[in-house]
């Protein structure tokens, strides 16, 4: 089983914290849609005869596209790939794009999962992040969406300056009251060259407090697990049968194909990525050239990626897989470097599976980096 990711590089406005590739100019939108369809068709042999189990529209903001654009891209995938009978087809959407009419239209074009970027239900948070919607729009769109879609994911951000634990708990409770089955939640991160970084540097916004973020993460985990969610990946919580197939493919090392500027692909051995420039992407496609770079992963690369993704998930890192796929040297190295974390009870070893404990979850990326083997080859 494999997945297709389609990057829609357009947004109404730039969120202060975002460092993804996008443009706020829609002048080349029609040209871009045709180029995306062209790349989808060109790369139809990427998976061989493998079945496609997920199609994911990310960005950017895919929900700003016309229904006819989305339908055409989905049809192009179906015409050129073997798609399973019950695929997961997701579109990322912002609340201000989701009128009842638009939600109904989306439900009629094979899309069966909405990923809605709410981030917060408080006006001051939304304004700080420069979101295009307001709190009332966020609540209204979710109330409407639940009438037409069963499979809904909502994004929330914690660690926002000024966001108290009480307000954070209220954000979570809104989603619980609406019976949202999947929640993705991230700490507010200050990425270089973003508006947020500039605002903090100029003293207009306080620096996010790591201690507050940690406390709110623990509150999130406890609250959602007590309400029947599985914390199946560091930033993702799902009710049983509602895990994201698209995201799970990345963490489980499945193959995926990325379409569009800045999109990444993985075929099991090689990782590739398209140029992160709309004009150059369009120019290349016009000249019948795929504007991508390719990296062949070494054994060490694959080991490090497996450790990193495994520790972020409920599936952990299998010692049997480490030994059979990478060899005894890697296994001994992993166990040696994990020893202190096992003693500190940030890692646990159960049935030959190495996992983070509740104490270690928030720090799993740092733990993984200490288990990397960087200079073996």
């Amino acid at each position: 089983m494999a997945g297709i990711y389609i990057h829609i590089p357009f947004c109404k406005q730039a969120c202060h914290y975002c460092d993804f590739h996008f443009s706020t100019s829609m002048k080349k939108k029609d040209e871009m849609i045709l180029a995306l369809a062209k790349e989808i068709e060109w790369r139809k042999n990427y998976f061989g005869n493998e079945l496609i189990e997920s199609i994911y529209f990310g960005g950017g903001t895919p929900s700003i596209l016309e229904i006819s654009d989305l339908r055409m891209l989905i049809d192009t995938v179906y015409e050129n790939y073997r798609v399973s009978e019950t695929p997961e087809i997701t579109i990322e959407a912002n609340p201000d794009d989701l009128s009842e009419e638009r939600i109904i239209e989306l439900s009629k074009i094979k899309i069966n999962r909405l990923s809605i970027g709410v981030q917060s239900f408080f006006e001051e948070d939304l304004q700080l992040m420069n979101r295009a919607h307001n709190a009332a729009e966020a609540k209204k769109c979710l109330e409407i969406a639940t009438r037409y879609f069963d499979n809904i994911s909502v994004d929330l951000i914690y660690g926002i300056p000024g966001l108290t634990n009480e307000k954070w708990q209220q954000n979570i409770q809104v989603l619980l009251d609406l019976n949202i089955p999947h929640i993705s939640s991230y700490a507010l991160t200050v990425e270089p060259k973003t508006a947020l970084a500039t605002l903090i540097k100029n003293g207009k916004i306080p620096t996010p407090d790591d201690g507050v973020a940690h406390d709110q993460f623990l509150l999130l985990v406890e609250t959602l697990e007590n309400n029947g969610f599985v914390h199946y990946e560091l930033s993702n919580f799902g009710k049983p049968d509602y895990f994201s197939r698209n995201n799970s493919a990345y963490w489980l090392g499945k193959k995926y194909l990325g379409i569009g500027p800045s999109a990444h692909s993985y075929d099991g051995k090689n990782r590739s990525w398209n140029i992160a420039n709309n004009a150059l992407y369009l120019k290349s496609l016009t000249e019948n050239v795929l504007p991508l770079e390719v990296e062949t992963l070494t054994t060490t690369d694959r080991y490090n990626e497996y450790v990193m993704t495994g520790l972020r998930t409920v599936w952990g890192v299998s010692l049997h897989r480490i030994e059979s796929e990478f060899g005894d040297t890697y296994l001994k190295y992993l166990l040696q470097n994990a020893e202190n974390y096992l003693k500190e009870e940030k890692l646990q070893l159960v049935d030959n599976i190495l996992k983070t404990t509740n104490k270690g979850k928030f720090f799993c990326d740092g733990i993984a980096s200490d288990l990397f083997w960087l200079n073996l080859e």
Side-chain angles (χ1 to χ4, degrees), residues 151 244 279 345 350 375:
N151 198 349
S244 167
E345 297 183 345
V350 180
N375 300 308

Side-chain angles (χ1 to χ4, degrees), residues 66 70 75 92 123 174 219 246 271 292 304 316 345 347:
E66 299 295 330
L70 293 166
D75 288 346
E92 291 181 353
E123 298 296 347
V174 171
L219 180 61
N246 173 79
R271 195 171 301 286
L292 55 77
N304 288 341
E345 297 183 345
L347 290 178

Side-chain angles (χ1 to χ4, degrees), residues 153 158 180-185 217 220-222 224-225 229-239 242-243 361:
S153 177
Y158 56 89
I180 300 299
H182 189 281
I183 296 171
S184 295
S185 192
F217 172 79
L220 174 73
V221 173
E222 180 181 10
L224 293 185
E225 288 185 341
F229 285 80
V230 178
H231 188 195
Y232 72 101
E233 193 271 340
L234 178 65
S235 302
N236 287 270
F237 304 78
K239 292 285 185 71
Y242 287 94
F243 296 1
K361 281 181 179 178

Side-chain angles (χ1 to χ4, degrees), residues 212-284:
V212 170
H214 178 245
D215 290 345
Q216 292 178 356
F217 172 79
L218 294 179
L219 180 61
L220 174 73
V221 173
E222 180 181 10
T223 302
L224 293 185
E225 288 185 341
N226 287 342
N227 282 273
F229 285 80
V230 178
H231 188 195
Y232 72 101
E233 193 271 340
L234 178 65
S235 302
N236 287 270
F237 304 78
K239 292 285 185 71
D241 298 324
Y242 287 94
F243 296 1
S244 167
R245 289 193 219 167
N246 173 79
N247 294 347
S248 295
Y250 303 150
W251 304 318
L252 294 173
K254 294 183 180 181
K255 298 176 183 178
Y256 55 88
L257 172 62
I259 301 294
S262 81
H264 284 60
S265 303
Y266 176 64
D267 66 3
K269 295 181 180 178
N270 303 291
R271 195 171 301 286
S272 61
W273 54 95
N274 288 346
I275 192 167
N277 182 296
N278 286 5
L280 293 179
Y281 174 82
L282 292 172
K283 183 175 183 292
S284 296

Side-chain angles (χ1 to χ4, degrees), residues 280-333:
L280 293 179
Y281 174 82
L282 292 172
K283 183 175 183 292
S284 296
L285 268 292
T286 301
E287 296 171 350
N288 295 326
V289 175
L290 284 176
L292 55 77
E293 294 184 47
V294 180
E295 174 191 16
T296 299
L297 301 181
T298 65
T299 301
T300 298
D301 291 334
R302 291 188 292 106
Y303 162 84
N304 288 341
E305 287 200 6
Y306 176 51
V307 169
M308 179 182 69
T309 55
L311 288 185
R312 288 180 64 97
T313 70
V314 70
W315 302 289
V317 176
S318 165
L319 299 190
H320 174 71
R321 178 176 169 183
I322 292 289
E323 185 174 30
S324 62
E325 195 168 321
F326 305 106
D328 187 58
T329 303
Y330 283 90
L331 177 62
K332 289 179 179 178
Y333 179 85

Side-chain angles (χ1 to χ4, degrees), residues 100-223:
E100 183 164 12
E101 180 183 6
R102 171 53 65 94
I103 290 170
I104 292 172
E105 289 175 336
L106 289 171
S107 71
K108 293 179 178 179
I109 58 165
K110 292 190 171 73
I111 288 172
N112 52 30
R113 184 175 184 269
L114 299 179
S115 177
I116 304 175
V118 170
Q119 316 311 355
S120 177
F121 292 100
F122 291 95
E123 298 296 347
E124 56 269 31
D125 298 339
L126 298 173
Q127 291 169 11
L128 181 148
M129 293 183 284
N130 199 39
R131 298 291 290 166
H133 67 275
N134 59 44
E137 285 176 320
K139 290 179 181 178
K140 182 178 179 181
C141 91
L142 290 177
E143 290 168 357
I144 297 171
T146 56
R147 299 178 204 158
Y148 300 97
F149 281 85
D150 170 61
N151 198 349
I152 298 173
S153 177
V154 172
D155 288 356
L156 290 179
I157 292 179
Y158 56 89
I160 302 168
L163 178 67
T164 64
N165 287 353
E166 290 74 21
K167 288 165 67 179
W168 176 233
Q169 185 74 60
Q170 290 177 51
N171 274 339
I172 301 168
Q173 191 60 49
V174 171
L175 301 185
L176 294 177
D177 291 343
L178 289 167
N179 293 316
I180 300 299
H182 189 281
I183 296 171
S184 295
S185 192
Y186 311 88
L188 182 65
T189 304
V190 184
E191 301 290 352
K193 300 180 181 179
T194 59
L196 180 61
T198 301
L199 290 167
I200 289 173
K201 182 180 178 180
N202 293 336
K204 295 185 177 180
I205 293 177
T207 302
D209 187 314
D210 290 342
V212 170
H214 178 245
D215 290 345
Q216 292 178 356
F217 172 79
L218 294 179
L219 180 61
L220 174 73
V221 173
E222 180 181 10
T223 302

